[in-house]
Amino acid sequence: MSNTPNAANAIRMLFDHCHETLPIDSLKWLSGLDSAAELEADNIAATLNSLANVLSADDKAATPGNDSLALILWGLASRAETVAMLIHISGEAAYLAGKKAAGAEAAETARGGEQ
């Protein structure tokens, strides 16, 4: 992870800051981020397809200039990085939710055995 301020790094920093104190329900909710990532990946693919169509068209007047094209590509790269982070956080949250649930179950069993 670079130190560049962007959405992916913000998500990672916030998750790293609070994941130990998040309740299981919140971790389970975060584990669903893979669905949001899938939708975003579909949007990126659609944008890239549209861009490819524009660049391959015979009408070069509609083609974005180098500066505009660079901005579009940087934006898409940032979105792809965010998608990757959403997938990573989703998996980590699912793992932590399972680990906390197992710990809570073990503690409950231990308390039940003492009575």
Side-chain angles (χ1 to χ4, degrees), residues 2 4 6 8 10 12 27 29-30 36 38 50-51 54 56 62 68 75 77-78 81 83 85 91 93 103-104 112:
S2 70
T4 305
N6 59 33
R12 174 85 256 171
L27 288 167
W29 183 87
L30 286 169
E38 182 179 358
S50 296
L51 182 59
V54 167
S56 68
S68 295
S78 177
E81 186 178 6
V83 166
M85 187 57 68

Side-chain angles (χ1 to χ4, degrees), residues 13-95:
M13 182 182 289
L14 290 170
F15 185 77
D16 286 348
H17 178 72
C18 69
H19 73 273
E20 291 178 3
T21 60
L22 287 173
I24 293 171
D25 288 346
S26 294
L27 288 167
K28 285 181 180 178
W29 183 87
L30 286 169
S31 73
L33 286 175
D34 57 347
S35 295
E38 182 179 358
L39 291 173
E40 187 62 20
D42 287 343
N43 290 336
I44 293 168
T47 302
L48 287 169
N49 280 323
S50 296
L51 182 59
N53 286 335
V54 167
L55 293 174
S56 68
D58 290 336
D59 181 13
K60 296 303 176 193
T63 303
N66 288 343
D67 291 342
S68 295
L69 186 57
L71 289 173
I72 291 167
L73 293 174
W74 281 323
L76 289 169
S78 177
R79 288 173 68 186
E81 186 178 6
T82 300
V83 166
M85 187 57 68
L86 291 175
I87 293 167
H88 179 77
I89 296 295
S90 174
E92 196 169 334
Y95 168 77

